């Protein structure tokens, strides 16, 4: 029997029992729709986590720290302790990072808490020293001005919240809070940087001379960078060295913990795609460093909702199983009704394969039609779920990617075939003679 | 005597009903020649249907062999039997056995559908067949919209469409009135003779047996006697184009 004849005949048989076919398809529709909607809620949740985490910073950046201390000491994920523990990051380490497959950029990182002077106003922030050439690659965004660039020296890029944080040091705390933020134009006004937190007051240390700097860019408010200030690492190192020297002179003792030039505790590594982050992170850990990225965070969030998502999936799966039983039931009934017909077909020349395929085609079509309608209904329900989620401020957003539509259509058809397999086999095995004898 | 299309050798069919054994066919040997019209005649329960089913490969004999064109029917598996039926055999049933979802035309084309004959070709052939049985106007009717006689005509058209070497008919007129019975017998024998096809008819009706070249009297699963029918009824029409 040719395929087109097979399909025609299958459709005709289904059409003859319209109501029953429709009810069976309805079962599959409900099964498919619930599985798609449930899975889509799982996907939607993950997507909203991702958006949330992306606000905290780029998911493609890995923060590396040497074991010797450093400011962020994140627990080594997993108990697999490396034998070798790297204690410092140098220019050659950075070069090694850059050679790892998938790495786009790498920079050493150091931080110093410093003070800024603009006219009679002051501000303070943790200044991050990085390789100026890597700033753009790290995935930051500038709102005004430009990024740090190769060749920059005493150059700063300010977070917008630092700019609005300027205050008049002569005023008392109370008065600072009650007065509106001063109008400072850091991009054009003269800005200086100092390590003296008493600068501008009568306690100021006259020996600490502020350094004149250029502010070239402003980063958007909020998020990861609102309160950050970026500076070329070489310049920041110099400030640190000068400060340490000055402190040693003041106290007259040598600082044993004095930070050496060109030796860092932290680094940032930018990976070309999110998918490669974990892989690169593992390589860095292998080298003896601690590595941490926001994808870790994301994974943890996904992990915590895994149970919920699995339960949602299970609910869908159960309704699809019920639908599959419905298909089997329908096909078994069809065999009882059509026993005689099957016998006649066999007697006039239908092969066993023809009989089996005919029943499988009918079952597959029920699955396919149910899957198709189920997807249409899911797309509608997904819209409704999202409207409710937005109104109730919930994370339960639903998102149906194209692959999910395709997969569920294939899956529903497959369920149909699987459910029809037993009945088809049974029809095939019917003895032609006893089949035509039945009334 | 012409060559034999079917050779039946010492065939036995025993049904086991609990402790009881019923020999429905008891050691029958018989040859059926090409182009012959052969009638199996006997009382109810004599085993004639069982014999027919054995010859057609619908049942396996308990003992003995059935040779169709040198091939042993009893040794074929289901798939081989399906091919064999597609190629060599046509069936007419007492209760027509048309598929209710299909039109008359589609029912007639069904054996060709199983043989993967292209739609245009099989429809043309089926139309010719329907014309031969005088039902061309009913081509698009469903079985439920036709009388018993008309349905049997469709089923005869279906049996002959493959130009099979042998057509089997088990009480083809059992559900029809006398007048229609003769029309049907005229039709079926005319069609068979036109293409020199072999016809094996099962009946308990002597009048019908009159159409045969040979009448095999069966009783208690055995051949009682074989009667060569000298005053064989002639088909009244050639194509059978009469109602
Ligand atoms: N499947 C079966 N199981 C058990 N016994 C059977 C079976 N089929 C037929 N028989 C028995 O075999 C014998 C012959 O049956 P068969 O159907 O061949 O008779 P028949 O000559 O065709 O009769 P009728 O004219 O009534 O159709 C009967 O006694 C019947 O009871
Ligand atoms: Mg019988």
């Amino acid at each position: 029997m040719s395929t087109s004849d097979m399909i025609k005949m299958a459709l005709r048989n289904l059409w003859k029992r319209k109501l029953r076919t429709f009810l069976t398809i309805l079962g599959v529709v409900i099964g498919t729709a619930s599985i798609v909607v449930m899975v889509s809620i799982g996907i939607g949740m993950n997507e909203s986590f991702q958006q949330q985490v992306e606000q905290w910073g780029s998911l493609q950046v890995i923060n590396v720290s040497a074991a010797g201390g450093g400011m962020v000491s994140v627990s080594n994920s997993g108990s697999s302790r490396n034998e070798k523990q790297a204690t410092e990051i140098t220019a050659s380490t950075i070069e090694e990072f850059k050679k790892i497959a998938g790495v786009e950029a790498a920079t050493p990182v150091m931080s110093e808490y410093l003070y800024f002077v603009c006219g009679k106003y002051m501000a303070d922030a943790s200044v991050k020293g990085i390789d100026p050439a890597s700033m753009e690659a790290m995935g930051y965004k500038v709102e005004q001005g430009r990024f740090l660039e190769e060749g920059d020296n005493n150059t700063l890029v300010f977070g917008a919240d630092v700019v609005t944080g300027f205050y008049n040091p002569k005023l008392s705390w109370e008065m600072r809070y009650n007065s509106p933020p001063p109008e400072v134009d850091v991009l054009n006004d003269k800005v200086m940087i100092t390590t003296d937190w008493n600068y501008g007051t009568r306690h100021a240390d006259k020996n600490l001379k502020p350094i004149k700097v250029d502010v070239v860019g402003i980063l958007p408010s909020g998020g990861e960078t609102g309160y950050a200030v970026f500076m070329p690492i070489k310049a920041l190192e110099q400030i640190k060295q000068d400060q340490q020297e000055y402190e040693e002179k003041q106290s007259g003792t040598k600082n044993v913990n004095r930070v050496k030039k060109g030796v860092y505790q932290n680094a940032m590594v930018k990976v070309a795609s999110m998918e490669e982050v974990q892989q690169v992170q593992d390589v860095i850990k292998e080298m003896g460093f601690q590595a941490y990225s926001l994808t870790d965070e994301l994974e943890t969030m996904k992990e915590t909702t895994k149970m919920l998502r699995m339960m949602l999936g299970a609910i869908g799966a159960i309704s699809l199983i019920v639908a599959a039983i419905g298909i089997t039931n329908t096909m078994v009934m069809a065999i009882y009704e059509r026993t005689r017909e099957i016998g006649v077909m066999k007697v006039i020349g239908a092969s066993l394969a023809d009989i089996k395929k005919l029943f499988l085609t009918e079952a597959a079509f029920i699955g396919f039609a149910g899957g198709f309608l189920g997807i249409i209904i899911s797309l509608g329900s997904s819209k409704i779920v999202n409207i409710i989620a937005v109104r109730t401020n919930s994370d339960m957003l639903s998102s149906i990617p194209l692959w999910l539509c395709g997969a569920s259509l294939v899956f529903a058809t497959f369920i149909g075939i699987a459910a029809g397999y037993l009945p088809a086999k049974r029809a095939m095995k019917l003895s032609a003679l006893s089949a035509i004898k039945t009334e | 005597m012409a060559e034999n299309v079917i050779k039946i050798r010492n065939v036995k069919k025993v049904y086991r009903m609990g402790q009881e054994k019923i020999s429905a066919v008891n050691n029958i040997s018989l040859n059926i020649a090409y182009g012959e019209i052969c009638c199996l005649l006997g009382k109810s329960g004599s085993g004639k249907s069982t014999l027919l089913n054995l010859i057609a490969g619908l049942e396996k004999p308990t003992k003995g062999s059935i040779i169709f064109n040198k091939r042993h029917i009893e040794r074929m598996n289901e798939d081989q039997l399906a091919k064999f039926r597609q190629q060599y055999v046509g069936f007419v049933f007492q209760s027509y056995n048309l598929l209710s979802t299909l039109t008359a035309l589609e029912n007639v084309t069904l054996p060709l559908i199983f043989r993967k004959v292209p739609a245009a070709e099989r429809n043309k052939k089926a139309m010719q067949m329907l014309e031969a049985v005088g039902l061309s106007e009913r081509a698009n009717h469903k079985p439920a919209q036709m009388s018993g006689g008309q349905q049997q005509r469709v089923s005869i058209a279906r049996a002959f469409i493959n130009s099979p070497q042998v057509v089997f008919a088990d009480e083809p007129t059992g559900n029809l009135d006398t007048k229609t019975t003769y029309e049907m017998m005229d039709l079926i024998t005319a069609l068979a003779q036109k293409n020199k096809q072999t016809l094996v008819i099962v009946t308990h009706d002597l009048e019908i047996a009159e159409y045969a070249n040979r009448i095999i009297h069966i009783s208690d699963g055995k051949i009682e006697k074989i009667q060569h029918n000298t005053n064989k009824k002639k088909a009244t029409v050639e194509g059978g184009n009469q109602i």
Side-chain angles (χ1 to χ4, degrees), chain A residues 1-2 5 8-9 12-13 16 340-341 344-354 432-433 436-437, chain B residues 53 58-59 78-79 82 85-86 91 93 95 97 99-102 106 110-111 113-114 116 122 158:
Chain A
M1 219 171 155
S2 72
D5 286 328
K8 247 186 255 166
M9 198 177 253
R12 207 187 294 230
N13 285 332
K16 192 183 172 198
R340 195 186 175 82
E341 184 184 313
V344 173
M345 283 168 60
K346 278 186 161 184
V347 170
I348 62 177
S351 67
L352 295 184
D354 285 339
L433 187 64
I436 46 174
K437 272 186 179 171
Chain B
N53 293 335
L58 295 179
E59 260 185 307
E78 281 270 3
D79 277 321
R85 289 185 204 124
Q86 280 179 9
F91 276 92
F93 304 93
S95 45
N97 280 330
L99 299 201
S100 57
T101 44
L102 306 183
E106 288 162 339
L110 204 52
I113 289 178
F114 294 134
K116 295 189 181 165
R122 70 187 185 221
R158 182 178 68 183

Side-chain angles (χ1 to χ4, degrees), chain A residues 437, chain B residues 15 17 24 43-50 171:
Chain A
K437 272 186 179 171
Chain B
Y15 291 111
M17 305 282 285
K43 298 200 301 288
S44 180
S46 56
K48 49 198 190 304
S49 288
T50 308
E171 313 216 23

Side-chain angles (χ1 to χ4, degrees), chain A residues 96-303:
Chain A
E96 273 180 61
F97 289 161
K98 284 181 182 166
K99 280 185 200 132
I100 301 172
V103 171
E104 235 175 40
T107 170
V109 176
M110 69 179 287
S111 293
E112 277 301 310
Y113 209 83
L114 295 175
Y115 304 86
F116 310 99
V117 183
C118 183
K120 57 176 180 168
Y121 300 109
M122 279 193 75
D124 49 77
S126 173
V127 179
K128 242 183 180 170
I130 58 167
D131 173 6
S134 75
M135 186 176 182
E136 186 165 5
M138 284 299 153
Y140 300 116
K141 289 182 178 60
V142 280
E143 211 167 50
Q144 287 177 60
R146 61 166 176 88
F147 291 106
L148 295 179
E149 283 168 2
E150 183 93 61
D152 281 345
N153 191 31
N154 281 331
T155 314
L156 294 186
V157 171
F158 262 46
D161 299 316
V162 180
V163 177
T164 50
F166 271 93
Y167 55 88
N168 187 343
K170 297 227 165 56
L171 300 178
S172 68
W173 286 104
E174 204 179 329
M175 287 169 77
R176 282 183 208 169
Y177 278 117
N178 290 336
S179 55
E183 299 273 324
V184 284
D185 182 1
V186 287
L187 286 176
N188 296 313
D189 292 353
K190 182 179 154 194
V191 176
M192 292 188 296
I193 199 164
T194 176
T195 52
D196 181 9
W197 67 284
N198 282 325
Y199 185 87
T201 69
R202 57 201 165 84
H203 304 293
D205 188 335
K206 295 283 179 289
N207 292 319
L208 282 174
K209 290 270 175 282
I211 302 158
K212 188 187 168 297
V213 288
D214 268 336
V215 177
V216 294
I218 293 181
L219 301 166
S221 163
E224 181 196 13
T225 55
Y227 288 93
V229 174
F230 287 89
M231 187 176 193
I233 193 161
K234 289 274 181 303
L236 189 59
E237 258 186 307
Q238 192 55 53
I239 292 171
K240 178 80 182 166
Q241 292 298 325
D242 292 349
Q243 185 197 13
Q244 283 178 335
E245 222 161 273
Y246 176 74
E247 275 169 5
E248 280 181 6
K249 223 172 14 186
Q250 289 284 85
S251 62
T253 53
K254 276 253 176 257
N255 180 359
V256 283
N257 293 326
R258 191 174 158 164
V259 176
K260 277 178 274 165
K261 229 178 169 179
V263 174
Y264 314 99
Q265 290 301 316
N266 296 293
M268 286 195 296
V269 174
K270 165 77 184 291
V271 182
S273 75
M274 243 182 78
E275 287 70 37
E276 290 168 299
V277 170
Q278 285 299 330
Q279 199 181 314
V280 173
Q281 210 170 317
D282 288 342
V283 176
I284 293 173
K285 282 181 184 164
E286 277 295 300
M287 291 163 70
F289 296 98
Q290 290 175 359
Y292 157 82
S293 67
L294 285 174
T295 54
D296 292 338
E297 207 71 32
L298 187 59
E299 287 309 312
T300 317
M301 289 172 88
K302 284 181 179 173
E303 200 63 31

